[in-house]
Amino acid sequence: MRRQVILFGLLSLGLGTAMAAATQLHFDHVPVKDHGRQSPVAGRPDATAAGELLYRYHCAQCHQADARGDGEKKPSLRTERVRSATDGDLEWFLRQGDLRHGMPSWSSLPQAQRWEIIAYLRSLR
Amino acid sequence: MHEFPLFALFRRACCAAFIAGGLAVCASAQEKPYFVTYSHDLEEPGNLEIETKTALARPDGGNHFGALATELEYGARAWWTTELYLDGQTTAQDSTIATGFRLENRFRPLMREHAVNPVLYMEYENISGADKTLLEVVGHDGQADLAGPNWDARSEHQHEGELKLILSSNVHDWNISENFIAEKNLGHAPWEFGYAVGAARPLRAAFSARECTFCAEKLSAGIEAYGGLGDTWDLSLHDTSQTIAPLVEWDLPRGMRVSFSPGFGLTGGSLDRVYRVGVAYELSQPANWFRSAKGGAR
């Protein structure tokens, strides 16, 4: 039975690792229909304020309270790349995450909350 | 007056979570209110969630019991969550015992979000027959298994492997999840099968611009159903246990979360009612505490 336990453990680790390595995601690969989407709450102060709260709850632990990242693996969100991305790009990226590189998928948040986070990111200078 | 041992057990677990809360920076995760069903949400990488799941019930011909599963869930990677469960139970007019542990891992094999998102779940259980946490129901599990005295039930040791295929979708702020379960006692017995399905959503999708505690976006509600599907010798619903359970969850400040679910048995072999209470606390990036201690962190 001990052999079965060891085999089960190895199967768990090996299969998961192999399958996770089988696909990859790039920020640049946003579908056209998502790229062109516009935030329904763009420019609304209440959405920006709600997004700031959501940022504090969900994002600040990695990207830091000032959104400048940790200087290592957790990137700054005050970059030209983020500023130049469309609302649709950012919503798509939040929804997809980048699991390979440590960014979780935020599809668990309602879409309205993802737009509010984007409203807050737009307010950063 | 003697305190019912379950409440003492539950109180200690809550105290542990509050103490941890005082020590730690907290995070708030958008978890689903399910007790049995898994969605494709994994723990955020580097975060540690401590959760207690309590099940209270009374089987026909048995005494009231309360079972407590204490769960330590760690986000090893964005696509991999690993968990340790420590189980115990107390039965009225009987005893309070530890019933074992479980190690589980969940992997997301696909890196992108799809209409249906698969997660592979693998678990090793080292528990006794007295375990009553009801974290899954498989095969012909039923209330008769929960009615025996602890001295007898704990003599049965169960080394089990369990596989789940978790399928989960987020559709218009709803989460809909389906789990297919296959469990095998590593020493003997056939494969046993079960399922769990659930649907849940927050009461309000948009977040408020001001901090609030008791507001609709902090509350989630849903429903789940779970039960056995027989085993390789008898793959049917005959003599199985089936339960349906409404769910409600409240996200509290500072990363706390409480959830409650009354479950109702649908077949003769099911518990008539089972009440579940969950208390969770999420610790944000605990590994950073040690880096800070070494002067290596920002």
Side-chain angles (χ1 to χ4, degrees):
Chain A
M1 191 184 69
R2 183 173 292 171
R3 183 180 297 171
Q4 281 181 297
V5 173
I6 293 168
L7 277 173
F8 190 79
L10 289 174
L11 180 70
S12 301
L13 284 172
L15 187 60
T17 306
M19 294 196 72
T23 55
Q24 57 180 316
L25 179 71
H26 295 292
F27 181 63
D28 302 329
H29 291 173
V30 182
V32 173
K33 68 179 174 65
D34 288 302
H35 175 75
R37 295 175 71 202
Q38 292 186 332
S39 168
V41 298
R44 279 176 39 185
D46 60 331
T48 304
E52 185 174 1
L53 286 176
L54 286 163
Y55 179 89
R56 198 193 311 161
Y57 293 154
H58 299 302
C59 314
Q61 58 176 297
C62 289
H63 295 284
Q64 310 300 321
D66 60 3
R68 294 185 190 281
D70 67 355
E72 297 173 14
K73 290 182 178 175
K74 317 288 173 54
S76 170
L77 301 177
R78 293 172 179 264
T79 63
E80 188 53 37
R81 194 177 191 198
V82 172
R83 287 192 200 101
S84 62
T86 66
D87 289 346
D89 290 342
L90 294 174
E91 198 279 334
W92 180 87
F93 189 68
L94 276 176
R95 182 162 27 98
Q96 297 287 336
D98 186 354
L99 304 189
R100 175 178 294 277
H101 297 106
M103 167 76 174
S105 159
W106 291 101
S107 71
S108 57
L109 292 178
Q111 188 177 54
Q113 295 186 18
R114 292 196 294 271
W115 288 126
E116 288 172 334
I117 291 172
I118 291 162
Y120 173 66
L121 293 179
R122 293 295 190 211
S123 74
L124 297 174
R125 293 286 178 266
Chain B
M1 184 174 155
H2 291 291
E3 186 177 27
F4 188 50
L6 165 71
F7 297 116
L9 202 63
F10 183 67
R11 195 184 61 206
R12 281 177 205 157
C14 290
C15 284
F18 278 111
I19 289 165
L23 296 173
V25 177
C26 65
S28 174
Q30 195 77 13
E31 298 283 345
K32 305 297 180 289
Y34 307 132
F35 282 89
V36 178
T37 313
Y38 283 87
S39 72
H40 68 296
D41 297 345
L42 300 186
E43 189 57 52
E44 290 145 40
N47 282 8
L48 175 69
E49 184 175 274
I50 304 167
E51 181 169 11
T52 61
K53 292 179 177 176
T54 306
L56 304 164
R58 187 178 75 80
D60 279 349
N63 294 319
H64 284 96
F65 70 82
L68 182 74
T70 302
E71 172 190 5
L72 302 171
E73 179 180 88
Y74 182 69
R77 295 284 185 274
W79 48 267
W80 171 22
T81 290
T82 186
E83 291 185 60
L84 168 67
Y85 280 92
L86 302 172
D87 296 351
Q89 59 102 326
T90 184
T91 301
Q93 301 170 35
D94 197 327
S95 58
T96 299
I97 54 174
T99 53
F101 69 92
R102 305 158 191 258
L103 293 169
E104 69 170 56
N105 289 283
R106 281 177 283 151
F107 305 99
R108 280 188 63 163
L110 304 179
M111 297 289 106
R112 284 196 182 200
E113 192 76 8
H114 296 274
V116 178
N117 300 282
V119 175
L120 304 176
Y121 171 110
M122 296 170 187
E123 178 182 285
Y124 168 69
E125 300 175 3
N126 187 341
I127 57 177
S128 76
D131 193 274
K132 298 179 178 179
T133 51
L134 303 172
L135 294 175
E136 72 273 318
V137 176
V138 294
H140 299 284
D141 290 352
Q143 60 177 336
D145 302 323
L146 307 170
N150 282 346
W151 66 264
D152 184 28
R154 72 185 305 184
S155 63
E156 179 193 353
H157 291 278
Q158 297 176 344
H159 298 271
E160 295 180 335
E162 182 179 302
L163 303 170
K164 284 183 189 173
L165 174 62
I166 298 164
L167 301 175
S168 171
S169 311
N170 289 323
V171 184
H172 298 300
D173 303 330
W174 282 90
N175 175 264
I176 300 165
S177 297
E178 308 90 30
N179 300 176
F180 302 94
I181 308 166
E183 187 176 276
K184 173 81 168 70
N185 188 313
L186 298 177
H188 58 82
W191 283 88
E192 296 178 294
F193 304 103
Y195 75 94
V197 295
R201 62 159 292 158
L203 297 191
R204 182 171 181 261
F207 215 69
S208 299
R210 299 174 65 182
E211 292 267 17
C212 63
T213 300
F214 196 79
C215 44
E217 66 266 29
K218 298 288 181 74
L219 291 164
S220 299
I223 193 164
E224 69 180 351
Y226 51 89
L229 295 173
D231 54 38
T232 46
W233 295 338
D234 178 17
L235 190 61
S236 73
L237 294 177
H238 173 70
D239 196 24
T240 60
S241 167
Q242 309 291 327
T243 303
I244 189 163
L247 310 155
V248 64
E249 180 181 272
W250 182 19
D251 283 330
L252 294 163
R254 296 189 58 79
M256 289 283 292
R257 183 162 49 83
V258 295
S259 42
F260 174 70
S261 170
F264 302 95
L266 301 176
T267 61
S270 316
L271 287 163
D272 284 344
R273 288 187 300 277
V274 54
Y275 299 99
R276 295 177 188 270
V277 179
V279 179
Y281 188 81
E282 186 161 351
L283 305 176
S284 176
Q285 308 292 313
N288 285 352
W289 309 342
F290 303 104
R291 287 191 199 130
S292 297
K294 290 181 193 170
R298 287 158 50 90

